[in-house]
Amino acid sequence: MTDVQTPAATAGEFEVGATVPPFVRQAGLHAWNRYAAVNYEFVDIHMDDEAGKAAGMPGAFGMGNLIWAWMHCAVEQWVGDRGLLEHLECRFKSPALKGDRITITGTVTGRTTADDGSTVLELDLWSENQTGAKTAPGTARVRLHPGV
Amino acid sequence: MSELGLVRPDMAAIVGQPYGVTVSYPVTASDIRRWAIAVYYPEAPPAHYLDPGAEAAGTLVAPLDISVFAWAAARTEPNAKAFEVDPKYKAVGAMEQNLGVQPPDLFRALNGGLVVDYTGVRIRPGDVIRSETVIARYQEKESRLGAMLVTDTATTWTNQDGERIKTATMSLIRY
């Protein structure tokens, strides 16, 4: 079970214009509490509606760090062991609210070949909610292993 | 003094100086599995995280975004320059006091974003991680909310062999 086969890229999967397969999760206390438990992020605004309202939101709201984690998951599920995320950056424009359907997706905006034969992909990568509003726009760079 | 008057000379002088040096407990396989399960919930994480043979085979690596300091640190290196400030400074994320400098009188704050660069060195069970932070840059900006101070803090993690794992930069906007 520890041997991992590196699957070949499917046609167009890593070409400019390709879509990062959507990683979709529902925001809410079930996800936030689990994240709080591993990241020791027990902050009232993420647990209590009254605290969220006092901060100007409709109720408790999700952690930016969890959106950040989901961006990593989206890249990991897509690339697997065929490459590695080298760079990620994003701005948190608006938080996830209870019941929001959060989708992490993106597009390949650039593709170059490095001297060692690896392929470097530039990505636009973002979080959007069920209205299509981008709540955390970002960019990323992935290096695919030679031969992928 | 800087153009907008937000960066005092004593603040400019601490750019690049390390603070917040912290050393983790050894990372465990359970730390890695729990993090992966939590961030992939409600679906299972990729199978290699749950493979019971992965740790012994040396193939278990942590998710890139794992925090190994979340609950506790084994050691924080003492910093003779640090002093206590009024909680109202800490509430907006002030860090200058860690380097012996009074923070600026700016009491509103925004998260300006996150940037991370990974080297490809992965965290594995048994690793002991050292974290060190510097103020990488001050920038001043004019906005509709007035003069703003953007502070980039860069935190670098290295493992017990001195290999750099990542540098994460946070932009704190105070105004």
Side-chain angles (χ1 to χ4, degrees):
Chain A
M1 285 296 288
T2 54
D3 289 336
V4 178
Q5 297 291 319
T6 298
T10 57
E13 184 181 12
F14 295 128
E15 299 300 324
V16 172
T19 297
V20 176
F23 179 91
V24 182
R25 291 294 185 269
Q26 179 156 324
L29 289 172
H30 283 279
W32 302 341
N33 287 354
R34 282 168 173 79
Y35 189 73
V38 291
N39 200 40
Y40 199 82
E41 200 162 343
F42 302 103
V43 184
D44 285 349
I45 53 176
H46 304 313
M47 302 189 295
D48 177 59
D49 284 336
E50 293 307 312
K53 288 175 185 171
M57 302 304 294
F61 54 93
M63 305 87 162
N65 284 333
L66 182 55
I67 300 295
W68 181 251
W70 286 346
M71 294 174 101
H72 284 77
C73 292
V75 173
E76 182 177 46
Q77 282 214 323
W78 177 44
V79 175
D81 64 350
R82 296 177 293 179
L84 187 71
L85 179 66
E86 285 190 335
H87 176 90
L88 176 63
E89 59 182 273
C90 83
R91 289 182 301 117
F92 300 111
K93 292 177 64 178
S94 55
L97 305 175
K98 278 183 193 172
D100 278 356
R101 184 174 180 271
I102 301 297
T103 300
I104 311 294
T105 187
T107 56
V108 178
T109 59
R111 177 185 169 117
T112 55
T113 302
D115 291 343
D116 67 353
S118 60
T119 299
V120 178
L121 306 179
E122 302 291 341
L123 313 175
D124 281 342
L125 190 72
W126 65 85
S127 161
E128 63 182 42
N129 63 19
Q130 62 280 1
T131 72
K134 289 186 179 178
T135 57
T139 58
R141 186 177 66 249
V142 168
R143 184 178 296 269
L144 301 175
H145 301 317
V148 173
Chain B
M1 204 61 136
S2 57
E3 194 170 325
L4 298 180
L6 299 179
V7 184
R8 303 185 316 261
D10 60 340
M11 291 166 58
I14 57 174
V15 170
Q17 294 184 16
Y19 68 94
V21 178
T22 307
V23 178
S24 79
Y25 289 102
V27 176
T28 71
S30 283
D31 295 335
I32 292 171
R33 283 193 289 267
R34 265 198 292 261
W35 189 278
I37 290 167
V39 297
Y40 275 93
Y41 172 84
E43 294 178 20
H48 60 87
Y49 288 119
L50 304 180
D51 178 355
E55 182 181 9
T59 56
L60 183 62
V61 296
L64 290 169
D65 60 305
I66 192 172
S67 171
V68 299
F69 298 100
W71 276 81
R75 185 163 56 87
T76 298
E77 291 189 0
N79 181 350
K81 294 180 184 171
F83 65 91
E84 279 300 314
V85 291
D86 189 289
K88 67 185 179 183
Y89 292 99
K90 289 185 180 176
V92 291
M95 76 303 292
E96 289 83 3
Q97 69 278 6
N98 296 309
L99 292 162
V101 167
Q102 179 66 27
D105 289 332
L106 302 167
F107 300 111
R108 289 178 290 177
L110 297 169
N111 179 343
L114 281 176
V115 180
V116 68
D117 286 290
Y118 297 109
T119 65
V121 174
R122 305 301 299 266
I123 295 176
R124 300 171 185 276
D127 280 357
V128 172
I129 309 302
R130 182 181 190 274
S131 177
E132 178 180 291
T133 301
V134 298
I135 297 172
R137 181 172 64 165
Y138 284 118
Q139 285 179 285
E140 295 175 325
K141 289 184 177 175
E142 289 271 27
S143 81
R144 60 184 175 82
L145 296 171
M148 292 180 146
L149 176 65
V150 183
T151 308
D152 289 346
T153 56
T155 298
T156 297
W157 285 13
T158 51
N159 65 18
Q160 65 282 351
D161 297 322
E163 298 172 306
R164 192 167 69 86
I165 295 165
K166 69 172 183 176
T167 297
T169 302
M170 295 182 62
S171 291
L172 173 68
I173 301 170
R174 287 174 285 180
Y175 60 102

